[in-house]
Amino acid sequence: MDQLEHGRDGPSKPQPPQKNAYARLVQQHHSPRFKAFLHHIAEIMQLGGGTGEDPSVENDCPLRRAVREDLESNELNAKECSDKPAFQRAPKRKGASDIGRKMPAESNNQQRRRRDPGISQEEDFDLEEESIMSKKLGLIIVADAAGGRVVYNYTKQGSDFQKPYGLSEQKEQECVKVKQKKKNMGVYNLEKDKLLSGKFTKDHFLPNSLNLGYSYSDKIQGGNKRGFARMRNNSESARPAPSCERKRQLSESQVETRSSTDCGLKARQLEAPRGGTYASSPASEKKKNHRKSNRGRKRTVFETYMSKSDVSDGLKRGELIQGALRINPKRFHEAFIPSPDGTRDIFIDGVVARNRALNGDIVVVKLLPKEQWKVVKTAGSDREPEVGHDPVDDPDVIIEAQFDDSGVEEGQAGLPALLLDNVKKLSISINENANNTCSDSAQISNRKNTLKANDPRGFPETFLQRTAKVVYILEKKHSRAATGFIKPLTDKNSELSKRCAMFSPVDHRLPRVYVPLMDCPDTFVGRPEDYLNTIFICRIVEWKEDSNFATGHLAKSLGQAGEIEPETEGILTEYGVDFSDFSEAALECLSQSLPWTIPPEEFQKRRDLRKECVFTIDPATARDLDDALSCKPLPDGNFEVGVHIADVSYFLQEGTVLDEVASQRATSVYLVQKVVPMLPRLLCEELCSLNPMTDKLTFSVIWKLTPAGKILDEWFGRSIIRSCVKLNYDCAQSMIESPDKQFSPEEMPPIFPEHPLEEVHQAILNLHRIAKALRKQRFDGGALRLDQLKLSFTLDKDSGMPQGCYIYQYRDSNKLVEEFMLLANMAVAHKIFRSFQGQALLRRHPPPQTKMLEDLMEFCEQMGLNIDFSSAGTLHKSLNEAIGTDKYAVARREVMTHMCSRPMQMALYFCTGLLNDEAQFRHYALNVPLYTHFTSPIRRFPDVIVHRLLAAAIGCGRPVTLSAADIQKHADHCNDRKMASKRVQELSTELFFSVLVKESGPLESEGMVMGVLNESFDVLVLNYGVHKRVYCNALPLLDYRFTKVGKKPELTLIWEPETPEQEAIHQVISVFSLVEVVLKSENVPLKYSAILKRPGEVPME
């Protein structure tokens, strides 16, 4: 409207300066290199206010000359094609706001109209509208379907378009008519445009053209109106700098789902997944008509869930698939569920396709059409793109949209800014690009042919990864709790900002959450800056279909980010670990009279082993001692060996309040500085713990074994023991390493006088010899062990802060205990399965995922590694042979273990009555038909159930009352809690190591490369056993080149010379390369980065 008045009555009143996309971008990104690059691009694209008529500007741009010549050859007047840079190089560079003021009133008005939620969705910004708008501004934007663009400032003699801005009413109306035709995405057909008198048939790419990552389509996939602002480069360069991860603004997971009422953009439909090649999916007339009929209505962001009955029917018919959702923590737009047939995981692309499901949820998905599946390997080629990565030769820019966080309900929005980030080179060779323009038509033709050749419908399914969308959440496994930070909404004048604040989770896989201001601290509204570094716990309550953000409430303020205790509490809460005190009702289930004594009737029911030489071997800091060993020589040369386990089921009666609490906790959680116990400390440290010189109730398995480890006889039963000594692993190791040494009492813990130290020493040696024989039998029989390095810490006794760390050594004393615990678990598994074939609680380990294993085999072949994956046993043997015996053998083993762990599946508890095929009972890694957990009832609830089953099996306990379905329910819950416990333990280790780097760093170490990507590589830091990613763009490099021969990736780093006289240093990075790294703490809490040292650099003092 303003523009029409301008055409009739002359210039309208000056409009308030409106920041355009470029101005907002420069304002948000302050890097000088980044600004310089954007100015350079702006000059080429002529997005500024110059008319091109200033003769003072030299006509020296080869690309523009080529463009002008080409325009003339196509009957367009190019005489007045501007060579003037859009943004003049003044002595002092103009700020972003000044640049923003150059946008004319008409353009500003267009932006305001697009922000109006009352305007039809057809008014949203897309590629076609950009072309129309550019005509109004005196520009031609020519784009191919791959996203390449070039902007021409054209003129037509005697027409109004000689003016770069401002149109007559007639021309404005003609532009509107053309716009309403809604032309398809692709090369803009200027020949059909009545506004031009000539023909235009040739396409030009903008230097370093912006690649959308989409295939040809009649319009932007899924009706997405963000144009170039939609796709992001999935290479490692596309990730934000590590130092910025904690100070998150708006993650892509929220950007992807911004609704039309929130940003003036169309809600994104399901589109072809990223990271592969896809076929086009033209919009149907039905969709177009439906969109027109819904103009002005509030659009939903997510699909409505299917009904339970439809889901049930779909699962029965095989039309739907269910599984546990896994979201990639590094690229959180990528999610997967396991394929039921064991082949490649099913890919779920983007937040919209996830449909509000969170990590770990059990979801039901519907497969997308085959043309939307991901091509992961092309026919006739042995090159396979890395999952989640774009091809290596993609442009070194990413394009993403960034918005404010104003509320959906208020309809506040801003046009997306074109964000160009992670630019590897700022210098653009104009001459080179000008020369390339002559072959652009051929490039377009080649792209079309390549696209046709890569149509997923033309490939066999072995080259494809199926894609799907979530249609239902069967079970919300995620706790819906998150740690993060709060801030006010950007639009402080909106009604929503008066009621809510924005909570931003630290975990980018979670949505941002509206939280009531009443949950925030009293001073938050007046002084929000005081809480920038305060961690809060938020619980997600709801996530509606029409909202990009969830709603929830703040549960607690934890304290300052980076401090150990607040961070630990946040980790426990986020993973649903119950660390509260046990209730009075639960504690009343235990005997309160201490010291507790064994009732006399128990001596009549149990085997009395108090006079036997029984002892425990545990970590030095352990207080919950749940297993003990005994070894008595027999006159015939054999041995009576016993494994004695604390009889927790005697104290933990089935059906009590404490039993319910323990079943819900399911496992003890071991942190660096403490343990969150499954059972009250009274039970696990006093009543049940096998403390020395105290009579204790136990469940025992006793064998008669030959010195070679052959089982001659076995016995199961309840017993009473009296441990004579509490040994730690160091003491037991000393005895093993010094078989002839006479240890003094001062060198060992206190020992019960009835059993001299020499007797204990000899029992340890006998057990060690038998354990070695048992171990050899296991691995000869086809067992596999994949050990990963474990980091341990030394803590200050007063402050609890880490003083140092070391890699935990797994030695013969550990192996001794492990062998007999495995033997007991296998024996009990067979015993309870024979007695309760339909109710036994066992533990199975499925074989590796077939497709991932095949990929790993191919990779090892390309790397020259002779690894035999035919069975667990052959894998174990070939791994040992491949790693060698030098000082780096342990490092190579860790790298290989990391590789081989990827296709491995998790071991699972299960009930035998609900799994019909006994072949699926097997434990792949142990290579045994039956296995269970019996030896740790103090810290694992499945062991408690197994104790009850064993007691019923041998006639010394209550009959089994649980049904198969009940046992399976317990098994499923224990699987979930075990995985959560493992993750919490890992995060606790990461927390303490981050604090150690901050307090004691920087830390230097040798490292071994574990994996190579196109712009980064992963390193095993040998001194500390941690894995860290090194980014090429953080190094002082002239350049770096990624190459791939088959599956073998290499990065060549070209280091900048330190002095002009030196030559550039070339360093080749590949798997198993040895490098020197420095670990440095960042300004963001708990973040540290790994920096590669320059080859030949002198170590720090």
Side-chain angles (χ1 to χ4, degrees):
M1 193 69 179
D2 293 339
Q3 188 61 35
L4 295 177
E5 293 175 0
H6 180 283
R8 287 194 300 266
D9 305 321
S12 59
K13 294 182 180 180
Q15 298 292 327
Q18 176 74 31
K19 293 181 181 178
N20 62 6
Y22 176 82
R24 290 198 307 277
L25 178 64
V26 174
Q27 186 181 45
Q28 294 166 1
H29 298 271
H30 305 292
S31 166
R33 296 176 70 234
F34 189 64
K35 287 183 180 180
F37 170 73
L38 292 181
H39 277 281
H40 199 110
I41 290 294
E43 291 171 5
I44 297 171
M45 296 178 66
Q46 298 190 18
L47 292 177
T51 65
E53 299 174 357
D54 188 351
S56 64
V57 181
E58 294 183 2
N59 188 3
D60 61 351
C61 179
L63 177 60
R64 292 196 183 92
R65 288 200 299 269
V67 168
R68 187 169 54 256
E69 292 168 3
D70 193 63
L71 285 170
E72 292 173 334
S73 67
N74 286 278
E75 303 178 24
L76 285 177
N77 181 1
K79 292 181 180 180
E80 298 182 39
C81 181
S82 172
D83 292 317
K84 177 181 179 180
F87 304 100
Q88 296 294 338
R89 299 288 183 177
K92 183 178 181 181
R93 179 177 295 171
K94 295 183 179 183
S97 60
D98 294 328
I99 296 169
R101 293 187 188 101
K102 292 188 177 184
M103 289 298 291
E106 183 276 340
S107 180
N108 295 335
N109 190 50
Q110 284 277 13
Q111 293 184 16
R112 284 193 297 274
R113 286 207 302 270
R114 280 193 296 273
R115 288 191 181 97
D116 188 354
I119 299 295
S120 163
Q121 295 296 322
E122 298 297 330
E123 295 294 327
D124 289 340
F125 177 80
D126 64 0
L127 183 62
E128 179 187 346
E129 181 173 349
E130 183 180 23
S131 300
I132 300 298
M133 288 176 61
S134 300
K135 289 181 185 179
K136 298 176 187 179
L137 306 181
L139 303 175
I140 301 176
I141 295 182
V142 180
D144 73 351
R149 303 191 300 176
V150 67
V151 181
Y152 299 141
N153 188 339
Y154 70 90
T155 60
K156 178 176 177 291
Q157 289 180 343
S159 75
D160 293 321
F161 281 86
Q162 289 177 336
K163 294 182 295 184
Y165 300 115
L167 300 175
S168 67
E169 180 179 0
Q170 178 183 358
K171 299 303 180 184
E172 171 71 11
Q173 292 172 350
E174 289 178 352
C175 285
V176 173
K177 290 179 181 178
V178 174
K179 175 185 179 300
Q180 291 176 346
K181 294 179 181 178
K182 302 301 293 180
K183 296 180 184 294
N184 295 333
M185 176 184 173
V187 180
Y188 195 85
N189 189 349
L190 299 176
E191 184 177 0
K192 296 180 181 180
D193 190 351
K194 297 180 181 179
L195 299 176
L196 297 176
S197 61
K199 295 181 179 179
F200 190 89
T201 59
K202 190 173 183 63
D203 307 316
H204 291 276
F205 286 90
L206 181 68
N208 282 7
S209 61
L210 309 178
N211 193 334
L212 285 175
Y214 286 93
S215 58
Y216 285 91
S217 175
D218 286 342
K219 66 174 190 175
I220 294 178
Q221 293 263 4
N224 191 339
K225 292 287 187 173
R226 296 177 190 174
F228 294 103
R230 175 63 203 94
M231 283 297 293
R232 74 179 277 158
N233 187 334
N234 291 328
S235 67
E236 285 304 320
S237 66
R239 294 186 60 226
S243 62
C244 299
E245 291 181 1
R246 194 69 181 250
K247 293 183 177 180
R248 167 183 171 189
Q249 297 298 319
L250 179 59
S251 75
E252 185 185 48
S253 62
Q254 287 96 24
V255 169
E256 286 185 33
T257 59
R258 182 67 88 168
S259 71
S260 59
T261 55
D262 199 19
C263 303
L265 303 176
K266 281 194 174 181
R268 176 189 176 209
Q269 299 173 3
L270 292 177
E271 60 189 36
R274 307 182 183 95
T277 306
Y278 311 95
S280 61
S281 55
S284 66
E285 290 298 324
K286 180 179 179 181
K287 289 183 179 179
K288 291 181 179 179
N289 295 334
H290 176 72
R291 187 163 56 246
K292 291 178 180 179
S293 66
N294 285 289
R295 291 181 182 178
R297 296 183 184 178
K298 191 171 183 179
R299 298 292 297 272
T300 59
V301 179
F302 302 100
E303 288 189 11
T304 303
Y305 293 132
M306 295 176 64
S307 66
K308 289 184 179 180
S309 59
D310 290 343
V311 167
S312 179
D313 293 341
L315 290 171
K316 291 177 182 177
R317 292 193 300 266
E319 297 172 355
L320 303 177
I321 301 172
Q322 77 176 66
L325 184 72
R326 305 189 324 273
I327 303 175
N328 189 335
K330 293 184 178 179
R331 290 182 291 276
F332 40 82
H333 62 266
E334 298 177 351
F336 307 86
I337 67 164
S339 177
D341 56 7
T343 57
R344 186 178 281 110
D345 286 344
I346 298 170
F347 181 48
I348 301 170
D349 179 45
V351 175
V352 173
R354 287 208 298 268
N355 203 358
R356 296 162 286 164
L358 302 184
N359 190 58
D361 287 351
I362 305 299
V363 299
V364 176
V365 302
K366 182 178 181 180
L367 293 179
L368 297 178
K370 189 173 181 179
E371 58 266 23
Q372 295 186 34
W373 293 3
K374 184 164 69 170
V375 178
V376 294
K377 188 172 183 179
T378 56
S381 170
D382 60 355
R383 297 188 62 177
E384 178 173 307
E386 298 292 335
V387 174
H389 291 272
D390 288 339
V392 178
D393 57 352
D394 276 2
D396 291 311
V397 284
I398 81 169
I399 306 171
E400 75 181 13
Q402 189 165 22
F403 304 92
D404 61 24
D405 55 10
S406 55
V408 175
E409 292 82 352
E410 300 305 304
Q412 302 295 326
L415 270 180
L418 289 180
L419 175 59
L420 289 77
D421 201 357
N422 291 329
V423 180
K424 183 162 59 178
K425 299 177 183 177
L426 298 183
S427 58
I428 300 175
S429 175
I430 301 297
N431 290 325
E432 179 181 347
N433 284 283
N435 294 333
N436 289 339
T437 58
C438 62
S439 60
D440 286 339
S441 294
Q443 292 179 22
I444 293 292
S445 177
N446 290 337
R447 293 193 183 205
K448 291 180 179 178
N449 294 335
T450 301
L451 179 70
K452 184 176 180 181
N454 289 332
D455 188 335
R457 290 170 292 190
F459 284 92
E461 292 194 7
T462 53
F463 293 145
L464 302 177
Q465 183 171 26
R466 293 181 293 176
T467 60
K469 61 180 180 179
V470 174
V471 296
Y472 193 76
I473 301 177
L474 278 178
E475 186 175 358
K476 293 181 178 180
K477 294 280 190 178
H478 192 278
S479 66
R480 265 56 184 179
T483 58
F485 304 89
I486 58 173
K487 62 179 181 179
L489 300 185
T490 302
D491 186 1
K492 296 180 174 56
N493 296 322
S494 67
E495 288 298 320
L496 187 65
S497 66
K498 299 175 184 178
R499 305 192 311 268
C500 295
M502 180 62 73
F503 173 85
S504 297
V506 173
D507 187 349
H508 292 188
R509 295 173 294 180
L510 299 175
R512 295 206 293 179
V513 187
Y514 288 127
V515 294
L517 283 177
M518 66 178 63
D519 289 351
C520 301
D522 294 337
T523 57
F524 170 73
V525 175
R527 298 182 59 84
E529 64 276 6
D530 293 350
Y531 299 92
L532 291 176
N533 204 39
T534 303
I535 308 176
F536 291 86
I537 288 287
C538 174
R539 296 196 179 275
I540 297 174
V541 176
E542 188 178 21
W543 195 355
K544 296 181 179 179
E545 297 172 6
D546 59 354
S547 178
N548 303 286
F549 306 128
T551 57
H553 65 85
L554 293 182
K556 189 177 183 181
S557 172
L558 297 178
Q560 291 300 298
E563 296 181 359
I564 288 178
E565 288 308 315
E567 295 282 357
T568 298
E569 185 174 345
I571 293 170
L572 294 173
T573 304
E574 201 163 326
Y575 283 85
V577 177
D578 183 0
F579 56 94
S580 62
D581 294 335
F582 288 89
S583 66
E584 290 296 329
L587 295 175
E588 287 174 359
C589 300
L590 301 175
S591 174
Q592 302 300 312
S593 59
L594 293 177
W596 179 83
T597 57
I598 299 174
E601 60 270 18
E602 288 299 319
F603 289 94
Q604 307 301 321
K605 301 176 184 178
R606 298 171 179 264
R607 184 171 174 176
D608 192 347
L609 302 174
R610 289 178 294 170
K611 295 188 179 299
E612 302 294 333
C613 181
V614 180
F615 47 86
T616 60
I617 306 176
D618 288 282
T621 57
R623 294 190 292 181
D624 50 348
L625 314 180
D626 52 10
D627 59 85
L629 294 168
S630 64
C631 183
K632 181 171 69 175
L634 299 177
D636 58 1
N638 295 317
F639 297 90
E640 184 181 86
V641 177
V643 171
H644 315 281
I645 308 300
D647 191 359
V648 175
S649 61
Y650 173 83
F651 298 94
L652 187 62
Q653 293 295 315
E654 189 173 358
T656 62
V657 174
L658 182 57
D659 183 54
E660 177 63 25
V661 172
S663 69
Q664 288 302 310
R665 295 196 176 200
T667 181
S668 295
V669 180
Y670 289 83
L671 308 172
V672 170
Q673 77 277 32
K674 62 183 178 182
V675 179
V676 180
M678 182 184 77
L679 297 170
R681 297 195 181 278
L682 173 62
L683 187 62
C684 54
E685 296 179 12
E686 295 289 340
L687 300 178
C688 288
S689 184
L690 306 182
N691 300 322
M693 300 174 221
T694 308
D695 294 351
K696 295 294 181 179
L697 301 179
T698 53
F699 231 131
S700 299
V701 183
I702 300 175
W703 302 275
K704 183 178 181 181
L705 298 173
T706 67
K710 183 179 179 181
I711 298 176
L712 302 177
D713 192 18
E714 68 181 2
W715 176 86
F716 302 91
R718 280 182 151 146
S719 58
I720 301 175
I721 67 166
R722 180 185 296 156
S723 172
C724 65
V725 63
K726 175 190 174 183
L727 296 174
N728 59 50
Y729 283 113
D730 290 336
C731 293
Q733 186 66 28
S734 298
M735 292 180 173
I736 292 171
E737 293 176 352
S738 306
D740 300 324
K741 181 180 178 179
Q742 298 293 323
F743 289 92
S744 64
E746 291 76 18
E747 295 178 273
M748 292 291 155
I751 297 179
F752 193 57
E754 191 172 337
H755 301 285
L757 178 58
E758 293 75 14
E759 183 182 1
V760 175
H761 189 181
Q762 190 58 50
I764 293 289
L765 294 176
N766 292 336
L767 287 172
H768 173 59
R769 284 192 289 268
I770 297 172
K772 286 200 301 183
L774 290 171
R775 189 176 183 84
K776 184 177 184 303
Q777 289 176 23
R778 281 202 307 113
F779 289 113
D780 289 346
L784 166 68
R785 184 176 184 90
L786 294 176
D787 282 322
Q788 292 186 322
L789 299 181
K790 178 183 177 183
L791 190 62
S792 296
F793 295 87
T794 54
L795 305 179
D796 183 89
K797 292 182 179 179
D798 297 325
S799 65
M801 296 288 286
Q803 294 179 316
C805 64
Y806 58 94
I807 295 176
Y808 185 81
Q809 298 297 315
Y810 186 75
R811 300 176 293 179
D812 286 338
S813 56
N814 302 86
K815 296 174 183 177
L816 182 159
V817 175
E818 180 189 44
E819 285 305 317
F820 289 106
M821 297 303 113
L822 289 173
L823 190 65
N825 286 336
M826 289 185 283
V828 171
H830 283 273
K831 182 66 176 178
I832 63 175
F833 182 64
R834 286 194 298 266
S835 301
F836 305 104
Q837 292 194 4
Q839 295 169 284
L841 177 64
L842 302 183
R843 187 165 175 81
R844 65 188 182 95
H845 184 205
Q849 297 183 34
T850 306
K851 183 55 188 172
M852 293 183 68
L853 189 61
E854 291 173 355
D855 293 342
L856 180 60
M857 291 169 60
E858 187 178 351
F859 177 81
C860 289
E861 290 175 4
Q862 296 287 348
M863 292 292 299
L865 298 171
N866 186 21
I867 307 296
D868 187 350
F869 292 92
S870 57
S871 68
T874 57
L875 175 57
H876 178 84
K877 183 178 179 180
S878 58
L879 275 177
N880 287 338
E881 294 172 352
I883 63 173
T885 56
D886 61 3
K887 66 176 183 177
Y888 294 110
V890 174
R892 280 193 291 271
R893 175 184 287 277
E894 175 69 8
V895 173
M896 291 303 302
T897 297
H898 180 75
M899 292 181 183
C900 294
S901 297
R902 291 181 177 180
M904 296 297 170
Q905 301 192 63
M906 295 288 295
L908 301 169
Y909 298 110
F910 73 103
C911 178
T912 54
L914 297 183
L915 197 60
N916 297 326
D917 186 3
E918 288 192 21
Q920 296 185 36
F921 293 6
R922 291 191 64 85
H923 196 290
Y924 171 80
L926 295 175
N927 195 30
V928 294
L930 300 175
Y931 187 70
T932 194
H933 275 166
F934 161 77
T935 54
S936 298
I938 289 179
R939 62 185 178 93
R940 293 188 305 226
F941 194 76
D943 300 55
V944 176
I945 296 176
V946 169
H947 275 228
R948 291 169 180 168
L949 290 169
L950 181 59
I954 62 178
C956 64
R958 295 178 180 178
V960 177
T961 58
L962 293 175
S963 65
D966 292 334
I967 293 176
Q968 184 61 49
K969 186 176 180 181
H970 279 294
D972 292 338
H973 179 68
C974 292
N975 290 330
D976 295 338
R977 298 318 309 157
K978 185 173 180 65
M979 291 195 338
S981 172
K982 182 176 183 295
R983 184 57 185 150
V984 166
Q985 187 173 352
E986 293 169 350
L987 291 174
S988 178
T989 300
E990 293 175 12
L991 166 63
F992 273 78
F993 188 71
S994 299
V995 173
L996 180 66
V997 173
K998 180 181 178 181
E999 298 296 326
S1000 306
L1003 307 176
E1004 287 193 8
S1005 174
E1006 197 170 20
M1008 182 172 284
V1009 177
M1010 306 177 66
V1012 179
L1013 303 173
N1014 57 342
E1015 294 184 346
S1016 61
F1017 53 95
D1018 293 327
V1019 174
L1020 167 64
V1021 184
L1022 299 184
N1023 289 356
Y1024 307 104
V1026 297
H1027 305 163
K1028 203 65 183 171
R1029 181 158 291 178
V1030 178
Y1031 296 90
C1032 293
N1033 57 13
L1035 304 175
L1037 303 176
L1038 291 175
D1039 195 8
Y1040 53 91
R1041 294 191 295 268
F1042 178 85
T1043 57
K1044 216 172 183 185
V1045 180
K1047 290 249 179 193
K1048 185 177 181 179
E1050 284 188 352
L1051 261 176
T1052 300
L1053 310 181
I1054 305 174
W1055 292 82
E1056 291 180 353
E1058 292 183 292
T1059 64
E1061 296 78 19
Q1062 292 180 341
E1063 294 184 356
I1065 301 174
H1066 289 64
Q1067 183 180 15
V1068 178
I1069 303 294
S1070 60
V1071 177
F1072 299 122
S1073 293
L1074 291 171
V1075 296
E1076 294 287 336
V1077 295
V1078 179
L1079 303 180
K1080 294 183 178 180
S1081 182
E1082 299 178 3
N1083 293 329
V1084 181
L1086 303 182
K1087 294 295 180 183
Y1088 66 94
S1089 56
I1091 304 298
L1092 184 67
K1093 292 182 64 176
R1094 182 189 301 270
E1097 185 176 338
V1098 178
M1100 293 186 300
E1101 294 295 333

